[in-house]
Amino acid sequence: MNSPLSLLRRYFMKNYQAKSLDSKHFKLTQADTEIGLLEYESWFSFKAEIILANHHRYAVQPKGFWGTTIEVKDQQEQVLLDFKMNWKGQILIRTLFGGQEDYYILKQKGLLRSTFVLLHGEETELLSLAPDFKWTRLNFDYELVASDALEQLPGKELLLLTAIHCANYYLTMMTAAAA
């Protein structure tokens, strides 16, 4: 028998999967349809490339001397979004899709803080990302559940892949801080 939550997810939310192909490549799919790839330059690098299924490419690069802000740029070097971690351990994301500026927060949620959520403003939950650590590969896969509100956003594919990068960024920063 299906629980009310599973029925809600089936009818009102979209499920995505992000599989790490190795330590540098993540493939995002939805119902076996490829949405895009997140390819890191090297292991534990913040520099990456996002390649959508329509073959559009976006550079993900740290900005400035300390590299605390990360920018996502199109092929014309136009910044489409950027993000940085705040002192609360949240990642603040600013999008500039279609000339419209908007803000999101990615933070950990849950009793054991094992899930990330993407919020619009302080309250509206758009996306949850549940990391699944694969001991045999020493990598994470992610299960993503998107709300209907996220599905309506312009640039949602880029935002989904950026959210994966942000979760990886967060986990890398926390690993480095603990070492």
Side-chain angles (χ1 to χ4, degrees):
M1 181 165 180
N2 290 324
S3 71
L5 182 58
S6 66
L7 288 172
L8 183 68
R9 284 185 171 168
R10 181 185 299 156
Y11 294 110
F12 296 108
M13 299 185 172
K14 265 199 175 163
N15 293 307
Y16 295 87
Q17 296 75 39
K19 301 284 184 199
S20 73
L21 306 174
D22 55 37
S23 62
K24 300 187 310 181
H25 300 85
F26 288 81
K27 180 168 47 169
L28 178 65
T29 59
Q30 195 275 318
D32 296 325
T33 301
E34 186 174 318
I35 306 301
L37 297 169
L38 172 61
E39 296 183 347
Y40 289 94
E41 190 173 87
S42 61
W43 190 54
F44 274 102
S45 172
F46 297 131
K47 203 171 190 180
E49 183 175 39
I50 292 174
I51 306 163
L52 298 182
N54 63 9
H55 305 292
H56 287 115
R57 294 176 173 267
Y58 303 90
V60 182
Q61 303 170 332
K63 174 187 170 184
F65 179 74
W66 296 107
T68 56
T69 297
I70 312 249
E71 294 180 327
V72 178
K73 297 179 180 178
D74 64 14
Q75 291 177 322
Q76 290 75 37
E77 295 290 311
Q78 179 181 357
V79 176
L80 298 175
L81 64 83
D82 58 35
F83 61 89
K84 63 184 172 187
M85 189 176 291
N86 69 9
W87 63 274
K88 294 180 183 178
Q90 302 170 334
I91 297 178
L92 308 175
I93 302 170
R94 178 180 67 124
T95 62
L96 301 162
F97 300 140
Q100 290 287 97
E101 189 171 46
D102 218 338
Y103 295 90
Y104 304 90
I105 297 171
L106 184 88
K107 65 180 188 176
Q108 281 193 302
K109 179 183 177 181
L111 182 61
L112 299 174
R113 304 186 132 235
S114 59
T115 301
F116 294 93
V117 291
L118 180 68
L119 304 171
H120 185 245
E122 295 275 337
E123 300 173 11
T124 307
E125 189 174 313
L126 299 176
L127 178 70
S128 70
L129 296 96
D132 180 19
F133 187 70
K134 300 297 183 186
W135 282 100
T136 56
R137 296 179 295 165
L138 299 177
N139 290 327
F140 286 96
D141 288 344
Y142 293 93
E143 189 70 34
L144 295 86
V145 179
S147 71
D148 189 49
L150 182 110
E151 292 297 319
Q152 305 306 314
L153 291 176
K156 82 166 179 185
E157 295 87 358
L158 190 57
L159 192 56
L160 285 165
L161 285 154
T162 299
I164 295 164
H165 190 311
C166 288
N168 287 334
Y169 174 78
Y170 182 92
L171 294 167
T172 299
M173 294 300 280
M174 292 304 112
T175 301

